[in-house]
Amino acid sequence: MQPIAPPTAKGARQAQAILDATLRCLGRDGYHATSLARIAEEAGTQKRMISYYYGTREQLIEHAIRHLGDLLI
C-alpha cells in the first residue's frame, strides 16, 4: 500500500521511516499510547509530514499494519 502523497526518492525514505517508527511505537507503547507526536519524534520528523504522507493517525496505523502483513507474507 502506497502513501497518500506520491513521494520523491527522499520522500520515500521519509515515508518508510515513518512506517518503521509507527511499528516500533505500536510494539513498545500499544495502540492507545501511540500518538502522532511520538511517531514523529521516533522517526525524526515533524507531525505535519505524517499527515502529508499518510493522512490521519488511523490511516497511518492501517498502512503500518498492512506493511507488516506484506513483510510477513
Side-chain angles (χ1 to χ4, degrees):
M1 183 174 234
Q2 295 296 319
I4 292 171
T8 61
K10 179 182 176 184
R13 288 190 302 273
Q14 187 167 29
Q16 185 61 48
I18 292 168
L19 273 182
D20 294 341
T22 302
L23 291 173
R24 285 193 302 272
C25 288
L26 284 171
R28 181 185 61 229
D29 304 328
Y31 176 80
H32 292 290
T34 298
S35 66
L36 290 181
R38 284 185 192 225
I39 294 168
E41 182 179 334
E42 182 82 22
T45 191
Q46 299 172 349
K47 286 189 333 185
R48 66 186 172 109
M49 297 311 294
I50 295 171
S51 296
Y52 176 76
Y53 288 115
Y54 294 104
T56 66
R57 174 182 176 263
E58 289 74 22
Q59 289 173 314
L60 170 60
I61 290 174
E62 180 182 338
H63 276 275
I65 291 170
R66 287 179 188 267
H67 174 71
L68 181 61
D70 290 344
L71 290 176
L72 293 174
I73 292 175

